[in-house]
Amino acid sequence: MDIEILKSKVHRAAITEANLNYIGSLTLDENLMDAANMIEYEKIQVVNVNNGSRIETYLIKGRRGSGVCCLNGPAARSGATGDIVIIISYARMEFEAAKKFQPTVVFPKEGNTL
């Protein structure tokens, strides 16, 4: 039996931009993506601590070291600059392997730095 479990999480990043006039996704500083073991185009869930919204979208690499965390397209309606979000990705794996798996969790500092 396969189950879906937490793979990676960026816990409490700050939204730096919301760009309604873009195709869609979340642009995230590549440093945060690397630290969280996330890749471009990976499906993610974005949970907004300020307003309770939960959306699914995908990641786009942001400029390394920029601290960018930008909601794009329709996702821009789910948060505002300064809101705090949790960015989550999941993995599907065999039940016994999942028992031993350890997710990667990143806690950004001010400015979305490591």
Side-chain angles (χ1 to χ4, degrees), residues 15-27 44 46 48 51 53-58 69-83 85:
I15 295 174
T16 58
E17 302 171 55
N19 183 353
L20 187 60
N21 296 312
Y22 189 80
I23 298 169
S25 71
L26 178 86
T27 304
I44 57 167
V46 182
N48 189 317
N51 65 23
S53 74
R54 298 175 78 92
I55 61 164
E56 288 184 345
T57 189
Y58 61 93
C69 180
C70 179
L71 291 167
N72 297 306
R77 297 269 188 218
S78 65
T81 300
D83 282 0
V85 294

mmCIF file of all heavy atoms in Angstrom, residues 15-27 44 46 48 51 53-58 69-83 85:
data_model
loop_
_atom_site.group_PDB
_atom_site.id
_atom_site.type_symbol
_atom_site.label_atom_id
_atom_site.label_comp_id
_atom_site.label_asym_id
_atom_site.label_seq_id
_atom_site.Cartn_x
_atom_site.Cartn_y
_atom_site.Cartn_z
ATOM 1 N N ILE A 15 5.215 36.464 2.249
ATOM 2 C CA ILE A 15 4.917 36.804 0.860
ATOM 3 C C ILE A 15 5.543 38.164 0.552
ATOM 4 O O ILE A 15 5.335 39.130 1.289
ATOM 5 C CB ILE A 15 3.395 36.843 0.611
ATOM 6 C CG1 ILE A 15 2.798 35.456 0.794
ATOM 7 C CG2 ILE A 15 3.088 37.389 -0.783
ATOM 8 C CD1 ILE A 15 1.287 35.413 0.705
ATOM 9 N N THR A 16 6.308 38.216 -0.525
ATOM 10 C CA THR A 16 6.969 39.462 -0.911
ATOM 11 C C THR A 16 6.241 40.176 -2.045
ATOM 12 O O THR A 16 6.433 41.367 -2.234
ATOM 13 C CB THR A 16 8.420 39.191 -1.353
ATOM 14 O OG1 THR A 16 8.422 38.268 -2.451
ATOM 15 C CG2 THR A 16 9.252 38.636 -0.201
ATOM 16 N N GLU A 17 5.427 39.426 -2.800
ATOM 17 C CA GLU A 17 4.700 39.994 -3.935
ATOM 18 C C GLU A 17 3.458 39.152 -4.195
ATOM 19 O O GLU A 17 3.422 37.980 -3.845
ATOM 20 C CB GLU A 17 5.534 39.948 -5.216
ATOM 21 C CG GLU A 17 6.866 40.640 -5.197
ATOM 22 C CD GLU A 17 7.662 40.312 -6.447
ATOM 23 O OE1 GLU A 17 7.147 40.534 -7.565
ATOM 24 O OE2 GLU A 17 8.784 39.809 -6.305
ATOM 25 N N ALA A 18 2.483 39.757 -4.864
ATOM 26 C CA ALA A 18 1.325 39.036 -5.389
ATOM 27 C C ALA A 18 1.073 39.607 -6.781
ATOM 28 O O ALA A 18 0.757 40.783 -6.920
ATOM 29 C CB ALA A 18 0.115 39.213 -4.481
ATOM 30 N N ASN A 19 1.291 38.793 -7.817
ATOM 31 C CA ASN A 19 1.230 39.247 -9.200
ATOM 32 C C ASN A 19 0.057 38.577 -9.906
ATOM 33 O O ASN A 19 0.181 37.473 -10.425
ATOM 34 C CB ASN A 19 2.555 38.907 -9.900
ATOM 35 C CG ASN A 19 2.613 39.403 -11.324
ATOM 36 O OD1 ASN A 19 1.629 39.899 -11.858
ATOM 37 N ND2 ASN A 19 3.758 39.256 -11.942
ATOM 38 N N LEU A 20 -1.079 39.260 -9.914
ATOM 39 C CA LEU A 20 -2.289 38.716 -10.518
ATOM 40 C C LEU A 20 -2.132 38.492 -12.023
ATOM 41 O O LEU A 20 -2.689 37.552 -12.580
ATOM 42 C CB LEU A 20 -3.473 39.651 -10.241
ATOM 43 C CG LEU A 20 -4.847 39.158 -10.658
ATOM 44 C CD1 LEU A 20 -5.201 37.858 -9.952
ATOM 45 C CD2 LEU A 20 -5.887 40.221 -10.377
ATOM 46 N N ASN A 21 -1.360 39.329 -12.690
ATOM 47 C CA ASN A 21 -1.224 39.269 -14.146
ATOM 48 C C ASN A 21 -0.078 38.359 -14.577
ATOM 49 O O ASN A 21 0.799 38.748 -15.335
ATOM 50 C CB ASN A 21 -1.035 40.680 -14.716
ATOM 51 C CG ASN A 21 -2.252 41.527 -14.459
ATOM 52 O OD1 ASN A 21 -3.377 41.107 -14.708
ATOM 53 N ND2 ASN A 21 -2.038 42.710 -13.920
ATOM 54 N N TYR A 22 -0.109 37.118 -14.100
ATOM 55 C CA TYR A 22 0.895 36.124 -14.441
ATOM 56 C C TYR A 22 0.158 34.810 -14.630
ATOM 57 O O TYR A 22 -0.948 34.626 -14.128
ATOM 58 C CB TYR A 22 1.940 36.030 -13.317
ATOM 59 C CG TYR A 22 3.139 35.183 -13.670
ATOM 60 C CD1 TYR A 22 4.159 35.696 -14.451
ATOM 61 C CD2 TYR A 22 3.228 33.870 -13.233
ATOM 62 C CE1 TYR A 22 5.255 34.929 -14.781
ATOM 63 C CE2 TYR A 22 4.330 33.094 -13.558
ATOM 64 C CZ TYR A 22 5.336 33.629 -14.336
ATOM 65 O OH TYR A 22 6.418 32.859 -14.665
ATOM 66 N N ILE A 23 0.759 33.883 -15.309
ATOM 67 C CA ILE A 23 0.092 32.625 -15.658
ATOM 68 C C ILE A 23 -0.348 31.844 -14.421
ATOM 69 O O ILE A 23 -1.412 31.267 -14.391
ATOM 70 C CB ILE A 23 1.006 31.758 -16.554
ATOM 71 C CG1 ILE A 23 1.281 32.499 -17.859
ATOM 72 C CG2 ILE A 23 0.386 30.404 -16.832
ATOM 73 C CD1 ILE A 23 2.367 31.890 -18.700
ATOM 74 N N GLY A 24 0.468 31.779 -13.406
ATOM 75 C CA GLY A 24 0.114 31.049 -12.198
ATOM 76 C C GLY A 24 1.337 30.481 -11.514
ATOM 77 O O GLY A 24 2.404 30.481 -12.089
ATOM 78 N N SER A 25 1.219 30.055 -10.285
ATOM 79 C CA SER A 25 2.265 29.386 -9.524
ATOM 80 C C SER A 25 2.729 30.211 -8.338
ATOM 81 O O SER A 25 2.190 31.272 -8.035
ATOM 82 C CB SER A 25 3.473 29.064 -10.392
ATOM 83 O OG SER A 25 4.160 30.255 -10.716
ATOM 84 N N LEU A 26 3.781 29.712 -7.691
ATOM 85 C CA LEU A 26 4.460 30.431 -6.621
ATOM 86 C C LEU A 26 5.924 30.526 -7.003
ATOM 87 O O LEU A 26 6.569 29.506 -7.246
ATOM 88 C CB LEU A 26 4.330 29.696 -5.283
ATOM 89 C CG LEU A 26 5.074 30.377 -4.132
ATOM 90 C CD1 LEU A 26 4.188 31.440 -3.496
ATOM 91 C CD2 LEU A 26 5.520 29.381 -3.103
ATOM 92 N N THR A 27 6.439 31.742 -7.094
ATOM 93 C CA THR A 27 7.873 31.943 -7.331
ATOM 94 C C THR A 27 8.550 31.977 -5.974
ATOM 95 O O THR A 27 8.144 32.736 -5.099
ATOM 96 C CB THR A 27 8.127 33.267 -8.083
ATOM 97 O OG1 THR A 27 7.387 33.266 -9.300
ATOM 98 C CG2 THR A 27 9.606 33.449 -8.380
ATOM 99 N N ILE A 44 2.759 21.929 -5.003
ATOM 100 C CA ILE A 44 2.849 22.362 -3.605
ATOM 101 C C ILE A 44 1.478 22.788 -3.099
ATOM 102 O O ILE A 44 0.564 23.066 -3.874
ATOM 103 C CB ILE A 44 3.844 23.541 -3.432
ATOM 104 C CG1 ILE A 44 3.436 24.715 -4.316
ATOM 105 C CG2 ILE A 44 5.272 23.092 -3.663
ATOM 106 C CD1 ILE A 44 4.146 26.019 -3.998
ATOM 107 N N VAL A 46 0.044 25.783 -0.505
ATOM 108 C CA VAL A 46 0.412 27.019 0.181
ATOM 109 C C VAL A 46 -0.687 27.323 1.187
ATOM 110 O O VAL A 46 -1.853 27.485 0.824
ATOM 111 C CB VAL A 46 0.579 28.200 -0.809
ATOM 112 C CG1 VAL A 46 1.004 29.465 -0.068
ATOM 113 C CG2 VAL A 46 1.577 27.853 -1.912
ATOM 114 N N ASN A 48 -1.906 29.888 4.072
ATOM 115 C CA ASN A 48 -1.708 31.266 4.528
ATOM 116 C C ASN A 48 -2.098 31.368 6.003
ATOM 117 O O ASN A 48 -3.255 31.152 6.372
ATOM 118 C CB ASN A 48 -2.556 32.216 3.678
ATOM 119 C CG ASN A 48 -2.247 33.668 3.946
ATOM 120 O OD1 ASN A 48 -2.092 34.083 5.092
ATOM 121 N ND2 ASN A 48 -2.177 34.451 2.889
ATOM 122 N N ASN A 51 -4.776 34.426 6.709
ATOM 123 C CA ASN A 51 -6.195 34.381 6.345
ATOM 124 C C ASN A 51 -6.777 32.968 6.252
ATOM 125 O O ASN A 51 -7.958 32.804 5.956
ATOM 126 C CB ASN A 51 -6.451 35.137 5.034
ATOM 127 C CG ASN A 51 -5.783 34.491 3.834
ATOM 128 O OD1 ASN A 51 -5.482 33.304 3.825
ATOM 129 N ND2 ASN A 51 -5.554 35.288 2.803
ATOM 130 N N SER A 53 -6.317 30.621 4.053
ATOM 131 C CA SER A 53 -6.503 30.008 2.736
ATOM 132 C C SER A 53 -5.490 28.882 2.516
ATOM 133 O O SER A 53 -4.385 28.896 3.053
ATOM 134 C CB SER A 53 -6.380 31.049 1.617
ATOM 135 O OG SER A 53 -5.029 31.420 1.422
ATOM 136 N N ARG A 54 -5.918 27.885 1.735
ATOM 137 C CA ARG A 54 -5.063 26.759 1.364
ATOM 138 C C ARG A 54 -5.243 26.569 -0.134
ATOM 139 O O ARG A 54 -6.365 26.317 -0.585
ATOM 140 C CB ARG A 54 -5.471 25.484 2.088
ATOM 141 C CG ARG A 54 -5.357 25.563 3.594
ATOM 142 C CD ARG A 54 -5.892 24.311 4.272
ATOM 143 N NE ARG A 54 -4.955 23.203 4.194
ATOM 144 C CZ ARG A 54 -4.041 22.925 5.120
ATOM 145 N NH1 ARG A 54 -3.947 23.680 6.196
ATOM 146 N NH2 ARG A 54 -3.231 21.904 4.989
ATOM 147 N N ILE A 55 -4.150 26.672 -0.882
ATOM 148 C CA ILE A 55 -4.241 26.488 -2.330
ATOM 149 C C ILE A 55 -3.200 25.471 -2.784
ATOM 150 O O ILE A 55 -2.193 25.254 -2.100
ATOM 151 C CB ILE A 55 -4.027 27.812 -3.099
ATOM 152 C CG1 ILE A 55 -2.631 28.382 -2.818
ATOM 153 C CG2 ILE A 55 -5.115 28.819 -2.770
ATOM 154 C CD1 ILE A 55 -2.183 29.437 -3.797
ATOM 155 N N GLU A 56 -3.452 24.868 -3.928
ATOM 156 C CA GLU A 56 -2.477 24.011 -4.575
ATOM 157 C C GLU A 56 -2.008 24.709 -5.837
ATOM 158 O O GLU A 56 -2.813 25.286 -6.577
ATOM 159 C CB GLU A 56 -3.088 22.661 -4.943
ATOM 160 C CG GLU A 56 -3.338 21.788 -3.752
ATOM 161 C CD GLU A 56 -3.852 20.409 -4.149
ATOM 162 O OE1 GLU A 56 -4.277 20.213 -5.304
ATOM 163 O OE2 GLU A 56 -3.824 19.529 -3.287
ATOM 164 N N THR A 57 -0.707 24.660 -6.069
ATOM 165 C CA THR A 57 -0.114 25.237 -7.265
ATOM 166 C C THR A 57 1.219 24.529 -7.491
ATOM 167 O O THR A 57 1.407 23.409 -7.035
ATOM 168 C CB THR A 57 0.023 26.779 -7.148
ATOM 169 O OG1 THR A 57 0.417 27.318 -8.409
ATOM 170 C CG2 THR A 57 0.967 27.204 -6.047
ATOM 171 N N TYR A 58 2.133 25.175 -8.194
ATOM 172 C CA TYR A 58 3.447 24.585 -8.441
ATOM 173 C C TYR A 58 4.504 25.652 -8.261
ATOM 174 O O TYR A 58 4.213 26.845 -8.244
ATOM 175 C CB TYR A 58 3.512 23.964 -9.839
ATOM 176 C CG TYR A 58 3.294 24.959 -10.956
ATOM 177 C CD1 TYR A 58 4.373 25.593 -11.566
ATOM 178 C CD2 TYR A 58 2.011 25.284 -11.385
ATOM 179 C CE1 TYR A 58 4.175 26.528 -12.580
ATOM 180 C CE2 TYR A 58 1.807 26.200 -12.389
ATOM 181 C CZ TYR A 58 2.890 26.813 -12.986
ATOM 182 O OH TYR A 58 2.687 27.735 -13.986
ATOM 183 N N CYS A 69 9.073 35.393 -2.560
ATOM 184 C CA CYS A 69 7.990 34.439 -2.334
ATOM 185 C C CYS A 69 6.754 35.117 -2.925
ATOM 186 O O CYS A 69 6.087 35.903 -2.248
ATOM 187 C CB CYS A 69 7.817 34.141 -0.845
ATOM 188 S SG CYS A 69 6.504 32.961 -0.494
ATOM 189 N N CYS A 70 6.509 34.874 -4.205
ATOM 190 C CA CYS A 70 5.505 35.624 -4.956
ATOM 191 C C CYS A 70 4.361 34.725 -5.408
ATOM 192 O O CYS A 70 4.577 33.756 -6.142
ATOM 193 C CB CYS A 70 6.158 36.280 -6.173
ATOM 194 S SG CYS A 70 5.021 37.224 -7.205
ATOM 195 N N LEU A 71 3.154 35.064 -4.991
ATOM 196 C CA LEU A 71 1.956 34.386 -5.470
ATOM 197 C C LEU A 71 1.623 34.938 -6.848
ATOM 198 O O LEU A 71 1.519 36.158 -7.023
ATOM 199 C CB LEU A 71 0.787 34.632 -4.518
ATOM 200 C CG LEU A 71 0.891 33.979 -3.147
ATOM 201 C CD1 LEU A 71 -0.154 34.570 -2.214
ATOM 202 C CD2 LEU A 71 0.750 32.473 -3.261
ATOM 203 N N ASN A 72 1.442 34.051 -7.819
ATOM 204 C CA ASN A 72 1.202 34.463 -9.202
ATOM 205 C C ASN A 72 -0.170 34.031 -9.696
ATOM 206 O O ASN A 72 -0.698 33.008 -9.268
ATOM 207 C CB ASN A 72 2.254 33.831 -10.118
ATOM 208 C CG ASN A 72 3.648 34.306 -9.799
ATOM 209 O OD1 ASN A 72 3.922 35.495 -9.758
ATOM 210 N ND2 ASN A 72 4.548 33.371 -9.564
ATOM 211 N N GLY A 73 -0.723 34.793 -10.649
ATOM 212 C CA GLY A 73 -1.997 34.453 -11.265
ATOM 213 C C GLY A 73 -3.108 34.408 -10.237
ATOM 214 O O GLY A 73 -3.122 35.188 -9.279
ATOM 215 N N PRO A 74 -4.055 33.489 -10.393
ATOM 216 C CA PRO A 74 -5.172 33.407 -9.456
ATOM 217 C C PRO A 74 -4.727 33.219 -8.006
ATOM 218 O O PRO A 74 -5.416 33.657 -7.082
ATOM 219 C CB PRO A 74 -5.963 32.192 -9.947
ATOM 220 C CG PRO A 74 -5.629 32.085 -11.397
ATOM 221 C CD PRO A 74 -4.201 32.539 -11.514
ATOM 222 N N ALA A 75 -3.572 32.586 -7.798
ATOM 223 C CA ALA A 75 -3.054 32.397 -6.435
ATOM 224 C C ALA A 75 -2.828 33.733 -5.734
ATOM 225 O O ALA A 75 -2.866 33.805 -4.506
ATOM 226 C CB ALA A 75 -1.756 31.593 -6.470
ATOM 227 N N ALA A 76 -2.613 34.800 -6.506
ATOM 228 C CA ALA A 76 -2.370 36.120 -5.928
ATOM 229 C C ALA A 76 -3.561 36.610 -5.104
ATOM 230 O O ALA A 76 -3.402 37.470 -4.242
ATOM 231 C CB ALA A 76 -2.039 37.130 -7.033
ATOM 232 N N ARG A 77 -4.732 36.045 -5.355
ATOM 233 C CA ARG A 77 -5.927 36.419 -4.593
ATOM 234 C C ARG A 77 -5.945 35.798 -3.194
ATOM 235 O O ARG A 77 -6.760 36.161 -2.361
ATOM 236 C CB ARG A 77 -7.183 35.976 -5.335
ATOM 237 C CG ARG A 77 -7.367 36.632 -6.671
ATOM 238 C CD ARG A 77 -8.179 37.872 -6.522
ATOM 239 N NE ARG A 77 -8.527 38.403 -7.843
ATOM 240 C CZ ARG A 77 -8.565 39.680 -8.105
ATOM 241 N NH1 ARG A 77 -8.291 40.551 -7.158
ATOM 242 N NH2 ARG A 77 -8.885 40.101 -9.299
ATOM 243 N N SER A 78 -5.048 34.850 -2.943
ATOM 244 C CA SER A 78 -5.095 34.131 -1.667
ATOM 245 C C SER A 78 -4.141 34.679 -0.616
ATOM 246 O O SER A 78 -4.025 34.113 0.464
ATOM 247 C CB SER A 78 -4.819 32.645 -1.894
ATOM 248 O OG SER A 78 -3.506 32.463 -2.355
ATOM 249 N N GLY A 79 -3.469 35.785 -0.925
ATOM 250 C CA GLY A 79 -2.569 36.376 0.055
ATOM 251 C C GLY A 79 -2.105 37.750 -0.367
ATOM 252 O O GLY A 79 -2.255 38.135 -1.523
ATOM 253 N N ALA A 80 -1.524 38.456 0.581
ATOM 254 C CA ALA A 80 -1.024 39.812 0.328
ATOM 255 C C ALA A 80 0.418 39.908 0.807
ATOM 256 O O ALA A 80 0.863 39.121 1.651
ATOM 257 C CB ALA A 80 -1.888 40.828 1.068
ATOM 258 N N THR A 81 1.126 40.881 0.283
ATOM 259 C CA THR A 81 2.501 41.124 0.706
ATOM 260 C C THR A 81 2.549 41.230 2.227
ATOM 261 O O THR A 81 1.742 41.919 2.834
ATOM 262 C CB THR A 81 3.042 42.419 0.056
ATOM 263 O OG1 THR A 81 2.994 42.258 -1.367
ATOM 264 C CG2 THR A 81 4.464 42.697 0.487
ATOM 265 N N GLY A 82 3.479 40.482 2.817
ATOM 266 C CA GLY A 82 3.628 40.480 4.271
ATOM 267 C C GLY A 82 2.946 39.316 4.965
ATOM 268 O O GLY A 82 3.278 38.997 6.110
ATOM 269 N N ASP A 83 1.985 38.681 4.279
ATOM 270 C CA ASP A 83 1.339 37.509 4.878
ATOM 271 C C ASP A 83 2.376 36.407 5.088
ATOM 272 O O ASP A 83 3.332 36.276 4.325
ATOM 273 C CB ASP A 83 0.223 36.964 3.983
ATOM 274 C CG ASP A 83 -1.062 37.772 4.061
ATOM 275 O OD1 ASP A 83 -1.103 38.771 4.811
ATOM 276 O OD2 ASP A 83 -2.028 37.400 3.351
ATOM 277 N N VAL A 85 3.215 32.405 5.116
ATOM 278 C CA VAL A 85 2.716 31.182 4.501
ATOM 279 C C VAL A 85 3.590 29.986 4.868
ATOM 280 O O VAL A 85 4.768 30.136 5.214
ATOM 281 C CB VAL A 85 2.624 31.304 2.962
ATOM 282 C CG1 VAL A 85 1.575 32.326 2.564
ATOM 283 C CG2 VAL A 85 3.969 31.631 2.342
#
